[in-house]
Amino acid sequence: NFDSGTMDTYFTKGLSDEFRRVWREVTKREYTNDEVELSDAELRKLPTVFLQMIPHEGGVGDEFVADDPRAVPGLAGKVDVGLPNDVLFAIPPTHYMQEGAKLGVYASRIYLDRDDDMGSVLGSNAMMGYDILFDMDAARIGFAVSDCDYLKVVKAAEADTAKEAAGADEPSIGAAASAEGSDARSKDDSNG
């Protein structure tokens, strides 16, 4: 489930033991939702949580055909040759760790205690960094990595409006990049 009205992410209890085991193996720390002190460098060294999602019944999209899914950014082809058309969804630590009232104190906003029969919920902290299309007619969701820079989009739109008023026909570079970026499929492999 995706819920942009929910701030946090909730995984089912069935995932808890494995999540905690891998977390401990990678970080050498126990996983907790309690506040922990972290430097900026320590925060950025925390693991990016990757979710591997089954695509809708046709694969990555009826409008998109790829001979080699390993060549398509955002698909699992390079990490799971058995399910190469699955979609990889990255949640970097800067999205799931929330800074508290005290500088340098963070708490994880991924919870591992949701009842299995209720399913997991990806909240707005997981959705940051993506443009998400909810295609209600086709009952599917699409993802595109985004810098979510609203100010840049507004400034580009204002520049286009000013050019149109002055009689120029070409869009600004910022607007063209924003339009192209919203359709791009790429993997967010950074932690920022």
Side-chain angles (χ1 to χ4, degrees), residues 41-139:
E42 289 172 318
L43 171 68
R44 293 187 182 280
K45 285 183 183 177
L46 291 176
T48 294
V49 176
F50 284 93
L51 306 178
Q52 185 171 337
M53 297 186 216
I54 300 168
H56 71 90
E57 59 187 71
V60 296
D62 304 330
E63 67 288 343
F64 185 80
V65 177
D67 293 331
D68 184 359
R70 293 172 298 174
V72 180
L75 294 186
K78 289 184 179 179
V79 295
D80 188 344
V81 294
L83 298 168
N85 288 316
D86 283 3
V87 176
L88 293 178
F89 189 89
I91 311 171
T94 54
H95 294 180
Y96 66 78
M97 295 297 289
Q98 182 176 5
E99 191 165 21
K102 184 179 173 192
L103 188 64
V105 176
Y106 298 85
S108 175
R109 306 305 289 210
I110 294 177
Y111 297 93
L112 306 172
D113 57 358
R114 190 158 165 94
D115 288 337
D116 290 333
D117 59 342
M118 295 178 70
S120 295
V121 174
L122 299 180
S124 61
N125 66 341
M127 294 184 217
M128 291 190 308
Y130 291 95
D131 285 332
I132 300 177
L133 171 68
F134 294 88
D135 184 350
M136 303 305 276
D137 294 334

Side-chain angles (χ1 to χ4, degrees), residues 20-37:
R20 291 175 190 280
R21 184 193 68 74
V22 172
W23 181 271
R24 187 173 36 255
E25 181 180 310
V26 170
T27 67
K28 310 299 185 235
R29 300 173 180 232
E30 294 296 321
Y31 184 79
T32 181
N33 294 106
D34 294 336
E35 290 186 335
V36 293
E37 289 188 35

